[in-house]
Amino acid sequence: MQHPELKRWLQEADPTRLDALWRHADDVRRLHVGDAVHLRGLIELSNYCGRLCGYCGLRADNRDVPRYRMSHTEIVACARRAATLGFGTVVLQAGEDAALTREWVAELIRRIKTETNVAITLSLGERDTADLANWRAAGADRYLLRFETSDRSLFDRIHPPRNGQPSDRIARLHTLRELSYEVGSGVMIGIPGQSFDSLARDVKLFRDLNLDMIGVGPYIAHPATPLGRTNAPPAQPADEQVPNTAEMTCKVMALARIVCPAANIPSTTALATIGGADGQFLALQRGANVIMPNLTPRQYRLSYQIYPDKACFYDQSEENVSRLGTRLHNIGRQIGTGRGDSPNWQQRTTPSPSPAGRRCS
Ligand code: 5AD
């Protein structure tokens, strides 16, 4: 699918045509990744952050948020809980916290790997190559780093440089790939100043990066951030601005599935926050195949406010997981077993007769 068609789908308003898009994405999903819905236990291990991203409630200058950092013992207990609940993966997420040193994280990875069989996904922001290589060697399997938008000037407007260095997340993604991580990225939908043209280019970039995991969610205004606070004059004509709706998010998930058929695509928490549990389930029928239940201990969870009123439907209780299993069964799906590696990554890393492996189409 080329740029004009991607953009047309993003601007499509006709419900009958959209139904065809949802069906196509669902067919591609079934064919390439099957009916299993993999669960990833999300552990938000620290909300300290040294960055000043224009949209994120964890930005360094937000004094209203009580800061916390979990201990190794607490995090390993959460990982054990994930294994007991049958989850194949834990996602270790945090702000860019300087106290999460290379050695601290490596030791954590080793402890989790010694005590459980779960796959480890890291989501710790922009870290240098030596850190990423060290953590891969310690046993980390996957890394998530959203590029947020492929529009360089919009990206720069909402991501102030750190130590005078502008960030280059695309370069980080290439490094992760070279280190043989399963690589995940994605964008926010409806960032003020985001146009349909740039969002169509984002989807094209998913394909060009040949991503193994693609996470997209609606932008949600946080009042303690410059982007959420301002009633800044629109950066572009109103008809070019992408709305931050559940439907627009589903369109991007569906297109992501079509351009990267073998990727793992979560139905994200941000989508659940604006679309409810029903919205989260709809996405599973429009291309998504992963859910990330929150395993962060309750006393910390409210403080991980990247945006307000974060949804949390299927958390650590057995009861909630079994409720989720029933709901999935009702739509012809089941909870996945095992690690749930992306077939895209497996094809890329398993020697095959075709040296290029199978790429996104
Ligand atoms: N609204 C929606 N998503 C957000 N994120 C951060 N702040 C917000 C917000 N206000 C997303 C970013 C980041 C991920 C961890 O959370 O895409 O990469």
Side-chain angles (χ1 to χ4, degrees):
M1 217 185 270
Q2 298 305 316
H3 182 88
E5 197 183 348
L6 289 168
K7 184 175 171 190
R8 252 197 323 276
W9 276 121
L10 294 173
Q11 294 183 305
E12 182 62 64
D14 179 70
T16 316
R17 288 180 57 87
L18 283 174
D19 271 341
L21 177 67
W22 310 141
R23 267 200 310 278
H24 182 40
D26 202 39
D27 288 344
V28 174
R29 186 269 309 153
R30 187 176 312 110
L31 191 66
H32 290 267
V33 294
D35 286 331
V37 173
H38 297 287
L39 304 186
R40 321 299 200 194
L42 178 63
I43 307 172
E44 297 152 330
L45 57 93
S46 163
N47 69 351
Y48 284 91
C49 189
R51 306 297 293 259
L52 287 166
C53 300
Y55 48 86
C56 181
L58 302 188
R59 51 186 278 121
D61 68 1
N62 183 6
R63 306 256 172 272
D64 296 336
V65 52
R67 302 286 170 167
Y68 71 88
R69 182 179 306 114
M70 291 168 64
S71 68
H72 277 186
T73 308
E74 287 174 303
I75 299 164
V76 173
C78 288
R80 272 207 233 95
R81 182 87 194 119
T84 308
L85 289 169
F87 299 179
T89 299
V90 291
V91 179
L92 306 181
Q93 192 177 84
E96 286 190 25
D97 176 359
L100 305 189
T101 61
R102 184 182 304 165
E103 217 11 76
W104 189 93
V105 176
E107 178 57 25
L108 174 64
I109 293 166
R110 284 191 290 266
R111 275 189 63 181
I112 293 174
K113 286 287 177 171
T114 311
E115 299 195 29
T116 73
N117 285 325
V118 296
I120 296 179
T121 303
L122 301 177
S123 178
L124 303 175
E126 297 171 43
R127 303 288 304 228
D128 65 32
T129 305
D131 290 346
L132 300 174
N134 185 280
W135 299 338
R136 180 80 182 108
D141 300 280
R142 312 180 185 136
Y143 204 99
L144 300 175
L145 180 67
R146 291 188 180 175
F147 62 78
E148 315 293 1
T149 171
S150 60
D151 175 339
R152 188 71 223 190
S153 78
L154 176 58
F155 183 92
D156 288 344
R157 244 181 291 151
I158 59 181
H159 299 98
R162 182 185 44 175
N163 308 329
Q165 289 274 335
S167 53
D168 188 346
R169 293 197 181 181
I170 308 294
R172 296 287 80 207
L173 292 169
H174 287 299
T175 301
L176 289 163
R177 152 72 64 113
E178 281 155 21
L179 293 169
S180 85
Y181 277 95
E182 259 182 79
V183 181
S185 192
V187 298
M188 287 182 289
I189 315 289
I191 307 167
Q194 186 182 45
S195 67
F196 288 101
D197 264 313
S198 85
L199 189 54
R201 281 192 290 270
D202 295 349
V203 176
K204 170 129 187 334
L205 188 54
F206 297 161
R207 176 178 52 198
D208 294 344
L209 292 168
N210 192 15
L211 294 174
D212 303 310
M213 306 175 280
I214 302 167
V216 302
Y219 160 73
I220 299 171
H222 191 303
T225 64
L227 213 60
R229 215 173 8 234
T230 52
N231 284 323
Q236 61 192 333
D239 62 342
E240 262 301 301
Q241 172 63 47
V242 172
N244 59 342
T245 58
E247 182 173 271
M248 188 59 61
T249 306
C250 281
K251 285 182 184 177
V252 178
M253 282 187 191
L255 293 170
R257 170 60 64 204
I258 292 164
V259 302
C260 290
N264 280 328
I265 301 181
S267 178
T268 51
T269 308
L271 174 62
T273 300
I274 65 161
D278 290 345
Q280 194 172 29
F281 261 70
L282 264 188
L284 291 174
Q285 297 166 283
R286 296 173 171 180
N289 70 321
V290 166
I291 289 186
M292 296 168 64
N294 195 313
L295 293 187
T296 309
R298 278 180 211 284
Q299 69 268 31
Y300 301 128
R301 205 180 293 167
L302 281 182
S303 303
Y304 204 83
Q305 284 258 349
I306 45 188
Y307 48 79
D309 303 321
K310 217 158 42 104
C312 182
F313 300 123
Y314 304 105
D315 63 2
Q316 55 255 77
S317 74
E318 264 94 0
E319 207 175 301
N320 280 347
V321 175
S322 113
R323 203 156 51 90
L324 174 59
T326 309
R327 282 204 71 174
L328 289 174
H329 182 77
N330 292 341
I331 58 164
R333 308 282 280 280
Q334 67 279 356
I335 293 178
T337 54
R339 291 163 39 115
D341 286 314
S342 153
N344 196 56
W345 176 82
Q346 286 168 331
Q347 285 151 16
R348 180 148 68 70
T349 50
T350 311
S352 78
S354 120
R358 198 161 76 195
R359 277 183 58 84
C360 294
S361 58

